[in-house]
Amino acid sequence: MFEVGKDIKDLALIIDRVNQIKSDDFISRAVVLDTFEIDASKMKGKSDKQKDTQSGVNISRLSHYFKYRDSKYIEFEIPKSSGDMRLISAPDSFLKKILKALNDALAMAYDVSDHAHGFVCERSIRTNAELHTNKNYVLNVDIENFFPSVSYFKIKQVLISRLKWQESFAHVIAHFCCYKGVLPQGAPTSPMVTNLICLNMDQALAVFAKKYKQNFTRYADDITFSGYRPVYDKPFFGELNRIIKKEDFKLKYSKTRIQSKNKRQEVTGVVVNDKLNVNRQYVRNLRAMIHHYKNGKKMSDNTENVIRGKLEFLKMIKGKERVYKNLMNRFKNE
């Protein structure tokens, strides 16, 4: 068992430091790294019941949340594009605030793999797809139960071995990142934590891809290879599977797709055959949605936000070209 009081105070100071940096519009890796080496004795003489940090984090409340963290989540389901349902575990507003600050601190202070494109500053679905344009073959594979496959013990191990944290502090942070002992899909920290967890796997997959003369990227649980030769045979998948299993993950073979040049090639929803594009059905559906919305058809309350999001995605992939401008004008003016 650990005496976690000091580590809770350390976390409060980290949250304070991150919020100070963000409010000053100044981000310094050295400042945040120094915060992770923080000395909780600076807190000496202050009451746990007062708001101990400038960020307004009440240490007593933070301790309560650490003890009862699993009760601070709500669960709900949303539909996947496949028609299945995805379980979301979302923290309440206070815990979400804490996890957002912790996530910002991790993102400021620690590097992730060059091959990881999901939830990384200045990388996106677009950058993930760009490396796979105009290739003869594209392979998509998916990791099964990606977030729930990452346990408290795995997170703690990485925080100690890779980030060189003290065991007691790693214990507190790993528990704060988990819900029911695993990474929840719906917490702000989960994507960044998986990128830290997957660093060794990404490096191994990069070496593996080079051996087969393939490009390789990973966007969360979506792994993509592309190249000019059809190398995706039994030895290829056998070696790929060994790399994935070594990191305690498992491939979801039902979502494995090999796409050749003479058919539509997609990477995380982006068409990559010759250049980055969206598929025609996406544009048709968006055009119809805008038409129905502007003509007063009864639709869900968040339809306007959905349309704006779809237009932003179209702009991100294709830029401000004719199709985007036409749809945007319809949305604004019809």
Side-chain angles (χ1 to χ4, degrees):
M1 296 292 292
F2 297 100
E3 187 66 43
V4 301
K6 172 186 178 299
D7 301 295
I8 295 292
K9 292 178 181 180
D10 287 351
L11 176 58
L13 283 173
I14 288 169
I15 294 165
D16 181 39
R17 182 66 64 86
V18 168
N19 287 333
Q20 283 179 326
I21 291 169
K22 290 172 72 176
S23 66
D24 291 342
D25 198 27
F26 173 76
I27 294 176
S28 166
R29 170 184 290 262
V31 168
V32 182
L33 279 170
D34 179 64
T35 305
F36 280 117
E37 301 295 328
I38 212 150
D39 180 4
S41 64
K42 296 173 186 175
M43 305 295 294
K44 197 172 289 186
K46 291 191 174 185
S47 167
D48 282 358
K49 293 183 179 179
Q50 71 185 80
K51 291 185 176 179
D52 292 303
T53 65
Q54 292 180 30
S55 63
V57 178
N58 184 295
I59 292 177
S60 178
R61 190 178 185 190
L62 197 58
S63 298
H64 168 83
Y65 266 70
F66 176 75
K67 187 174 181 180
Y68 299 105
R69 55 195 173 274
D70 283 353
S71 68
K72 309 302 181 182
Y73 280 81
I74 59 168
E75 293 184 335
F76 56 92
E77 292 184 327
I78 59 173
K80 297 182 183 180
S81 57
S82 64
D84 296 332
M85 300 303 289
R86 186 190 308 278
L87 178 65
I88 302 297
S89 304
D92 71 11
S93 58
F94 178 77
L95 183 55
K96 186 176 182 179
K97 175 184 174 183
I98 298 305
L99 295 179
K100 274 187 173 180
L102 177 57
N103 188 70
D104 289 340
L106 290 169
M108 290 175 198
Y110 299 108
D111 291 325
V112 299
S113 159
D114 291 339
H115 307 281
H117 289 259
F119 314 99
V120 179
C121 184
E122 298 184 356
R123 301 182 209 173
S124 64
I125 284 176
R126 179 186 175 90
T127 63
N128 185 65
E130 277 176 335
L131 287 172
H132 304 290
T133 56
N134 203 26
K135 299 295 189 296
N136 290 343
Y137 298 92
V138 175
L139 168 67
N140 296 320
V141 297
D142 190 79
I143 297 176
E144 188 170 17
N145 296 322
F146 184 52
F147 290 109
S149 295
V150 179
S151 69
Y152 152 79
F153 298 101
K154 182 77 171 179
I155 300 168
K156 179 182 166 185
Q157 177 189 24
V158 167
L159 296 179
I160 293 170
S161 62
R162 185 169 299 138
L163 306 190
K164 309 302 180 186
W165 289 4
Q166 292 294 317
E167 185 177 4
S168 61
F169 188 57
H171 163 78
V172 168
I173 299 304
H175 268 313
F176 261 117
C177 290
C178 287
Y179 170 60
K180 296 181 179 178
V182 298
L183 273 187
Q185 187 152 350
T189 40
S190 293
M192 180 63 190
V193 170
T194 57
N195 281 335
L196 292 172
I197 294 288
C198 289
L199 184 59
N200 287 343
M201 183 181 76
D202 288 343
Q203 291 170 343
L205 288 174
V207 172
F208 168 74
K210 186 176 181 181
K211 172 183 172 181
Y212 285 93
K213 298 182 179 178
Q214 297 283 296
N215 284 347
F216 152 66
T217 61
R218 182 181 59 80
Y219 191 97
D221 56 346
D222 291 310
I223 297 172
T224 305
F225 298 94
S226 65
Y228 298 102
R229 296 187 298 115
V231 297
Y232 315 123
D233 55 11
K234 190 173 181 179
F236 178 95
F237 279 103
E239 190 171 348
L240 172 61
N241 198 41
R242 284 192 291 274
I243 294 171
I244 301 295
K245 278 188 172 181
K246 186 177 179 182
E247 299 300 321
D248 301 319
F249 292 118
K250 186 169 73 170
L251 290 179
K252 188 173 185 177
Y253 286 104
S254 63
K255 294 192 69 174
T256 298
R257 292 182 300 159
I258 300 172
Q259 305 164 97
S260 58
K261 186 74 171 176
N262 60 349
K263 296 182 180 179
R264 188 173 70 204
Q265 298 169 318
E266 287 192 10
V267 176
T268 48
V270 180
V271 178
V272 296
N273 288 67
D274 298 306
K275 61 181 181 179
L276 296 185
N277 208 341
V278 297
N279 68 57
R280 292 176 183 176
Q281 193 61 46
Y282 183 93
V283 175
R284 290 193 195 105
N285 291 344
L286 179 53
R287 185 181 291 117
M289 185 180 289
I290 292 171
H291 175 76
H292 293 322
Y293 176 74
K294 300 300 285 189
N295 283 278
K297 183 175 180 179
K298 186 172 176 60
M299 304 177 80
S300 63
D301 293 339
N302 69 336
T303 298
E304 182 177 346
N305 290 333
V306 171
I307 292 173
R308 291 187 185 280
K310 287 181 175 291
L311 284 167
E312 282 300 311
F313 179 78
L314 183 63
K315 183 175 72 172
M316 178 179 70
I317 301 304
K318 292 175 65 67
K320 293 183 179 180
E321 45 71 82
R322 180 176 54 84
V323 174
Y324 168 77
K325 287 181 179 178
N326 286 344
L327 290 174
M328 180 57 84
N329 286 336
R330 290 187 185 193
F331 181 54
K332 284 183 175 180
N333 302 323
E334 272 192 12

